[in-house]
């Protein structure tokens, strides 16, 4: 048997243990083999040595994370207990992690993960940036924050936000109202991001004066988009022709972020995503950058990461099965071809 007593210094025990010991209970759940008790600033671990040492290491990580980032979410504790190295994926709340913008409530908007910071840095050195990754990784929100910052700093004269009007398994034709009323709900994620960053009266003024424009991708045809920060969202639902059309709209003083999630393509089964081809043929063009985000960048509910990982695991298994079946079919065909 082993008994370890840890004294917590330099952090708020309530923030560390959680309200009603919610975070401490996660540690207990992760190490059911030992007894974990707390009293004031002290924590006692009792049980078999290998388990008390492992629990001690995890608890010390919790303390370290709280000291460095001045916050310790329940999700962060769960990630630590699952073995994730948050120092590799998450950024500390420090001055080195520069604020992009402040919300209407005065809260700083910063890159929360290493890959989100890569996205911010890529826009500083490239006019076109592809941000590709699963849902919940902050692609669109970070892109909108960068666009609003550019407008406020007068680096651009307007913001253009666009999406291809492809329904995720639904039909817009059955929705009531005119075209704008049909399209607006589909563009709601863009409105939500703007609502966080710009006061309602100011946003209404910007939209009335077309300083901020939100429109379906089809409305971009024939235009030249200059002196603008342009975001093409949900680009995985663009055809090759649509994406080429969009990219050739850019004027000499335009900056663009293209976001997409290649695991959520809503195009008809026989139509390929233009984002695949664009990433392939434009990857090495000077002035164009690609940033790939993954499940480690998810900033939504803790289950979103697990859902993404489960689907990726399933998709990988299906791909491997299809490859095996294709190889088996080719092997069966070889003798008959020789005859």
């Amino acid at each position: 048997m082993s008994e370890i007593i840890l004294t917590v210094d330099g952090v708020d025990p309530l923030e560390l243990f959680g309200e009603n010991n919610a975070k401490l209970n996660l540690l207990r759940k992760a190490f059911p083999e030992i007894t974990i008790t707390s009293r004031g600033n002290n924590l006692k671990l009792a049980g078999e040595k290998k388990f008390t040492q492992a629990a001690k290491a995890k608890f010390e990580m919790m303390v370290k994370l709280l000291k460095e980032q001045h916050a310790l979410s329940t999700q962060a504790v769960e990630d630590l207990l699952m073995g994730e190295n948050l120092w590799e994926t998450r950024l500390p709340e420090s001055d080195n992690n520069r604020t992009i913008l402040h919300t209407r409530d005065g809260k700083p908007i910063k890159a929360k993960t290493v890959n989100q910071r890569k996205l911010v840095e890529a826009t500083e050195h490239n006019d076109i940036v592809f941000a590709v990754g699963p849902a919940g990784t902050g692609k669109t929100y970070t892109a909108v924050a960068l666009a609003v910052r550019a407008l406020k700093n007068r680096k651009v004269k307007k913001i253009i936000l666009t999406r291809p009007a492809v329904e995720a398994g639904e039909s817009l034709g059955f929705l009531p109202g005119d075209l704008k009323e049909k399209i607006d709900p589909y563009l709601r994620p863009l409105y939500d991001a703007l609502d966080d960053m710009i006061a309602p009266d100011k946003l209404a003024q910007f939209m009335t004066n077309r300083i901020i424009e939100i429109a379906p991708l089809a409305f971009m045809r024939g235009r030249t988009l200059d002196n603008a920060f342009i975001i093409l969202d949900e680009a995985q639902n663009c055809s090759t022709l649509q994406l080429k059309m969009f990219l050739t709209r850019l004027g000499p003083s335009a900056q663009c972020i293209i976001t997409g999630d290649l695991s959520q393509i809503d195009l008809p089964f026989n139509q390929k995503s233009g984002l695949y081809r664009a990433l392939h043929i434009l990857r090495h063009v000077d002035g164009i950058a690609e940033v790939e985000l993954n499940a480690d960048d998810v900033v939504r509910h803790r289950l979103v990461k697990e859902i993404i990982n489960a689907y990726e695991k399933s998709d990988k298994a299906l791909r491997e099965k299809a490859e095996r079946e294709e190889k088996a079919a080719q092997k069966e065909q070889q003798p008959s071809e020789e005859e």
Side-chain angles (χ1 to χ4, degrees), residues 159-184:
I159 295 172
I160 299 173
L161 309 174
T162 184
R163 274 182 160 195
V166 176
E167 310 93 328
E170 300 174 358
S171 176
L172 294 177
F174 289 98
L175 294 175
D178 58 20
L179 179 61
K180 183 179 185 302
E181 290 170 326
K182 291 176 188 288
I183 293 294
D184 274 359

mmCIF file of all heavy atoms in Angstrom, residues 159-184:
data_model
loop_
_atom_site.group_PDB
_atom_site.id
_atom_site.type_symbol
_atom_site.label_atom_id
_atom_site.label_comp_id
_atom_site.label_asym_id
_atom_site.label_seq_id
_atom_site.Cartn_x
_atom_site.Cartn_y
_atom_site.Cartn_z
ATOM 1 N N ILE A 159 -16.303 43.310 -46.048
ATOM 2 C CA ILE A 159 -16.218 41.879 -45.772
ATOM 3 C C ILE A 159 -17.287 41.187 -46.599
ATOM 4 O O ILE A 159 -18.445 41.621 -46.636
ATOM 5 C CB ILE A 159 -16.466 41.577 -44.277
ATOM 6 C CG1 ILE A 159 -15.361 42.186 -43.407
ATOM 7 C CG2 ILE A 159 -16.554 40.072 -44.028
ATOM 8 C CD1 ILE A 159 -15.653 42.091 -41.919
ATOM 9 N N ILE A 160 -16.896 40.115 -47.259
ATOM 10 C CA ILE A 160 -17.852 39.314 -48.028
ATOM 11 C C ILE A 160 -17.804 37.888 -47.495
ATOM 12 O O ILE A 160 -16.747 37.259 -47.482
ATOM 13 C CB ILE A 160 -17.527 39.329 -49.535
ATOM 14 C CG1 ILE A 160 -17.591 40.764 -50.067
ATOM 15 C CG2 ILE A 160 -18.476 38.414 -50.306
ATOM 16 C CD1 ILE A 160 -17.126 40.904 -51.502
ATOM 17 N N LEU A 161 -18.944 37.414 -47.039
ATOM 18 C CA LEU A 161 -19.059 36.058 -46.510
ATOM 19 C C LEU A 161 -20.000 35.268 -47.417
ATOM 20 O O LEU A 161 -21.118 35.710 -47.692
ATOM 21 C CB LEU A 161 -19.612 36.081 -45.084
ATOM 22 C CG LEU A 161 -18.914 37.025 -44.101
ATOM 23 C CD1 LEU A 161 -19.649 37.046 -42.770
ATOM 24 C CD2 LEU A 161 -17.472 36.615 -43.885
ATOM 25 N N THR A 162 -19.547 34.112 -47.858
ATOM 26 C CA THR A 162 -20.364 33.360 -48.806
ATOM 27 C C THR A 162 -20.281 31.863 -48.547
ATOM 28 O O THR A 162 -19.319 31.379 -47.948
ATOM 29 C CB THR A 162 -19.929 33.680 -50.258
ATOM 30 O OG1 THR A 162 -20.794 33.021 -51.163
ATOM 31 C CG2 THR A 162 -18.489 33.239 -50.520
ATOM 32 N N ARG A 163 -21.310 31.163 -49.004
ATOM 33 C CA ARG A 163 -21.396 29.704 -48.900
ATOM 34 C C ARG A 163 -22.068 29.167 -50.156
ATOM 35 O O ARG A 163 -22.951 29.832 -50.707
ATOM 36 C CB ARG A 163 -22.270 29.298 -47.707
ATOM 37 C CG ARG A 163 -21.585 29.205 -46.372
ATOM 38 C CD ARG A 163 -22.593 28.744 -45.342
ATOM 39 N NE ARG A 163 -21.929 28.196 -44.158
ATOM 40 C CZ ARG A 163 -22.550 27.468 -43.249
ATOM 41 N NH1 ARG A 163 -23.831 27.178 -43.383
ATOM 42 N NH2 ARG A 163 -21.906 27.001 -42.205
ATOM 43 N N PRO A 164 -21.714 27.960 -50.583
ATOM 44 C CA PRO A 164 -22.482 27.335 -51.651
ATOM 45 C C PRO A 164 -23.843 26.903 -51.097
ATOM 46 O O PRO A 164 -23.922 26.392 -49.981
ATOM 47 C CB PRO A 164 -21.638 26.121 -52.052
ATOM 48 C CG PRO A 164 -20.835 25.803 -50.836
ATOM 49 C CD PRO A 164 -20.572 27.126 -50.153
ATOM 50 N N ALA A 165 -24.899 27.143 -51.845
ATOM 51 C CA ALA A 165 -26.255 26.839 -51.362
ATOM 52 C C ALA A 165 -26.590 25.379 -51.610
ATOM 53 O O ALA A 165 -27.432 25.031 -52.431
ATOM 54 C CB ALA A 165 -27.278 27.744 -52.037
ATOM 55 N N VAL A 166 -25.888 24.512 -50.891
ATOM 56 C CA VAL A 166 -26.159 23.074 -50.943
ATOM 57 C C VAL A 166 -26.688 22.670 -49.584
ATOM 58 O O VAL A 166 -26.049 22.912 -48.558
ATOM 59 C CB VAL A 166 -24.881 22.270 -51.283
ATOM 60 C CG1 VAL A 166 -25.175 20.768 -51.229
ATOM 61 C CG2 VAL A 166 -24.371 22.658 -52.652
ATOM 62 N N GLU A 167 -27.879 22.058 -49.574
ATOM 63 C CA GLU A 167 -28.539 21.736 -48.312
ATOM 64 C C GLU A 167 -27.982 20.445 -47.740
ATOM 65 O O GLU A 167 -27.774 19.480 -48.455
ATOM 66 C CB GLU A 167 -30.047 21.580 -48.518
ATOM 67 C CG GLU A 167 -30.680 22.735 -49.275
ATOM 68 C CD GLU A 167 -30.748 22.479 -50.769
ATOM 69 O OE1 GLU A 167 -29.856 21.806 -51.305
ATOM 70 O OE2 GLU A 167 -31.702 22.968 -51.391
ATOM 71 N N ALA A 168 -27.788 20.430 -46.427
ATOM 72 C CA ALA A 168 -27.297 19.238 -45.743
ATOM 73 C C ALA A 168 -28.457 18.265 -45.536
ATOM 74 O O ALA A 168 -29.015 18.130 -44.448
ATOM 75 C CB ALA A 168 -26.675 19.610 -44.399
ATOM 76 N N GLY A 169 -28.831 17.600 -46.609
ATOM 77 C CA GLY A 169 -29.893 16.608 -46.528
ATOM 78 C C GLY A 169 -31.287 17.210 -46.440
ATOM 79 O O GLY A 169 -32.254 16.527 -46.162
ATOM 80 N N GLU A 170 -31.406 18.515 -46.693
ATOM 81 C CA GLU A 170 -32.700 19.170 -46.635
ATOM 82 C C GLU A 170 -32.934 19.932 -47.928
ATOM 83 O O GLU A 170 -32.018 20.144 -48.714
ATOM 84 C CB GLU A 170 -32.761 20.130 -45.435
ATOM 85 C CG GLU A 170 -32.549 19.428 -44.093
ATOM 86 C CD GLU A 170 -32.478 20.411 -42.950
ATOM 87 O OE1 GLU A 170 -32.561 21.614 -43.210
ATOM 88 O OE2 GLU A 170 -32.336 19.956 -41.800
ATOM 89 N N SER A 171 -34.170 20.363 -48.140
ATOM 90 C CA SER A 171 -34.496 21.089 -49.356
ATOM 91 C C SER A 171 -34.935 22.498 -49.006
ATOM 92 O O SER A 171 -35.923 22.698 -48.303
ATOM 93 C CB SER A 171 -35.615 20.375 -50.124
ATOM 94 O OG SER A 171 -35.996 21.131 -51.246
ATOM 95 N N LEU A 172 -34.199 23.470 -49.515
ATOM 96 C CA LEU A 172 -34.552 24.867 -49.252
ATOM 97 C C LEU A 172 -35.839 25.253 -49.963
ATOM 98 O O LEU A 172 -36.541 26.173 -49.565
ATOM 99 C CB LEU A 172 -33.418 25.793 -49.724
ATOM 100 C CG LEU A 172 -32.093 25.688 -48.971
ATOM 101 C CD1 LEU A 172 -31.078 26.614 -49.616
ATOM 102 C CD2 LEU A 172 -32.258 26.026 -47.519
ATOM 103 N N GLY A 173 -36.161 24.532 -51.026
ATOM 104 C CA GLY A 173 -37.342 24.878 -51.819
ATOM 105 C C GLY A 173 -38.636 24.801 -51.035
ATOM 106 O O GLY A 173 -39.614 25.475 -51.355
ATOM 107 N N PHE A 174 -38.666 23.980 -49.984
ATOM 108 C CA PHE A 174 -39.887 23.830 -49.205
ATOM 109 C C PHE A 174 -40.004 24.861 -48.092
ATOM 110 O O PHE A 174 -41.025 24.923 -47.424
ATOM 111 C CB PHE A 174 -39.948 22.421 -48.600
ATOM 112 C CG PHE A 174 -40.195 21.355 -49.634
ATOM 113 C CD1 PHE A 174 -39.137 20.633 -50.151
ATOM 114 C CD2 PHE A 174 -41.471 21.112 -50.111
ATOM 115 C CE1 PHE A 174 -39.358 19.653 -51.113
ATOM 116 C CE2 PHE A 174 -41.711 20.143 -51.074
ATOM 117 C CZ PHE A 174 -40.649 19.412 -51.569
ATOM 118 N N LEU A 175 -38.943 25.663 -47.895
ATOM 119 C CA LEU A 175 -38.999 26.692 -46.865
ATOM 120 C C LEU A 175 -39.841 27.869 -47.338
ATOM 121 O O LEU A 175 -39.836 28.216 -48.523
ATOM 122 C CB LEU A 175 -37.586 27.178 -46.516
ATOM 123 C CG LEU A 175 -36.665 26.155 -45.851
ATOM 124 C CD1 LEU A 175 -35.281 26.745 -45.682
ATOM 125 C CD2 LEU A 175 -37.210 25.705 -44.508
ATOM 126 N N PRO A 176 -40.571 28.522 -46.421
ATOM 127 C CA PRO A 176 -41.403 29.668 -46.825
ATOM 128 C C PRO A 176 -40.569 30.896 -47.121
ATOM 129 O O PRO A 176 -39.419 31.001 -46.707
ATOM 130 C CB PRO A 176 -42.280 29.890 -45.582
ATOM 131 C CG PRO A 176 -41.451 29.390 -44.444
ATOM 132 C CD PRO A 176 -40.676 28.220 -44.995
ATOM 133 N N GLY A 177 -41.161 31.851 -47.833
ATOM 134 C CA GLY A 177 -40.517 33.138 -48.043
ATOM 135 C C GLY A 177 -39.798 33.266 -49.369
ATOM 136 O O GLY A 177 -39.777 32.344 -50.190
ATOM 137 N N ASP A 178 -39.220 34.478 -49.570
ATOM 138 C CA ASP A 178 -38.482 34.731 -50.807
ATOM 139 C C ASP A 178 -37.086 34.126 -50.701
ATOM 140 O O ASP A 178 -36.754 33.445 -49.724
ATOM 141 C CB ASP A 178 -38.408 36.234 -51.094
ATOM 142 C CG ASP A 178 -37.759 37.016 -49.950
ATOM 143 O OD1 ASP A 178 -37.035 36.393 -49.141
ATOM 144 O OD2 ASP A 178 -37.966 38.237 -49.870
ATOM 145 N N LEU A 179 -36.243 34.370 -51.718
ATOM 146 C CA LEU A 179 -34.919 33.745 -51.762
ATOM 147 C C LEU A 179 -34.089 34.110 -50.544
ATOM 148 O O LEU A 179 -33.442 33.251 -49.938
ATOM 149 C CB LEU A 179 -34.195 34.164 -53.047
ATOM 150 C CG LEU A 179 -32.780 33.593 -53.211
ATOM 151 C CD1 LEU A 179 -32.828 32.069 -53.256
ATOM 152 C CD2 LEU A 179 -32.108 34.146 -54.461
ATOM 153 N N LYS A 180 -34.104 35.403 -50.155
ATOM 154 C CA LYS A 180 -33.305 35.828 -48.999
ATOM 155 C C LYS A 180 -33.755 35.097 -47.733
ATOM 156 O O LYS A 180 -32.936 34.638 -46.933
ATOM 157 C CB LYS A 180 -33.410 37.337 -48.798
ATOM 158 C CG LYS A 180 -32.537 37.845 -47.647
ATOM 159 C CD LYS A 180 -32.656 39.343 -47.492
ATOM 160 C CE LYS A 180 -31.703 39.860 -46.423
ATOM 161 N NZ LYS A 180 -31.925 39.237 -45.112
ATOM 162 N N GLU A 181 -35.082 34.988 -47.568
ATOM 163 C CA GLU A 181 -35.606 34.327 -46.372
ATOM 164 C C GLU A 181 -35.300 32.837 -46.379
ATOM 165 O O GLU A 181 -35.159 32.212 -45.322
ATOM 166 C CB GLU A 181 -37.113 34.556 -46.275
ATOM 167 C CG GLU A 181 -37.480 36.001 -45.954
ATOM 168 C CD GLU A 181 -38.964 36.277 -46.101
ATOM 169 O OE1 GLU A 181 -39.601 35.671 -46.989
ATOM 170 O OE2 GLU A 181 -39.491 37.104 -45.336
ATOM 171 N N LYS A 182 -35.174 32.247 -47.572
ATOM 172 C CA LYS A 182 -34.804 30.836 -47.667
ATOM 173 C C LYS A 182 -33.323 30.637 -47.353
ATOM 174 O O LYS A 182 -32.936 29.662 -46.717
ATOM 175 C CB LYS A 182 -35.087 30.306 -49.083
ATOM 176 C CG LYS A 182 -36.552 30.179 -49.462
ATOM 177 C CD LYS A 182 -36.659 29.736 -50.922
ATOM 178 C CE LYS A 182 -38.074 29.772 -51.441
ATOM 179 N NZ LYS A 182 -38.917 28.709 -50.892
ATOM 180 N N ILE A 183 -32.498 31.574 -47.830
ATOM 181 C CA ILE A 183 -31.045 31.432 -47.722
ATOM 182 C C ILE A 183 -30.527 31.835 -46.346
ATOM 183 O O ILE A 183 -29.596 31.229 -45.820
ATOM 184 C CB ILE A 183 -30.348 32.278 -48.817
ATOM 185 C CG1 ILE A 183 -30.661 31.699 -50.190
ATOM 186 C CG2 ILE A 183 -28.852 32.331 -48.594
ATOM 187 C CD1 ILE A 183 -30.089 30.313 -50.437
ATOM 188 N N ASP A 184 -31.125 32.857 -45.723
ATOM 189 C CA ASP A 184 -30.601 33.393 -44.460
ATOM 190 C C ASP A 184 -30.393 32.345 -43.373
ATOM 191 O O ASP A 184 -29.355 32.354 -42.703
ATOM 192 C CB ASP A 184 -31.508 34.520 -43.949
ATOM 193 C CG ASP A 184 -31.137 35.871 -44.565
ATOM 194 O OD1 ASP A 184 -30.172 35.897 -45.362
ATOM 195 O OD2 ASP A 184 -31.800 36.874 -44.261
#
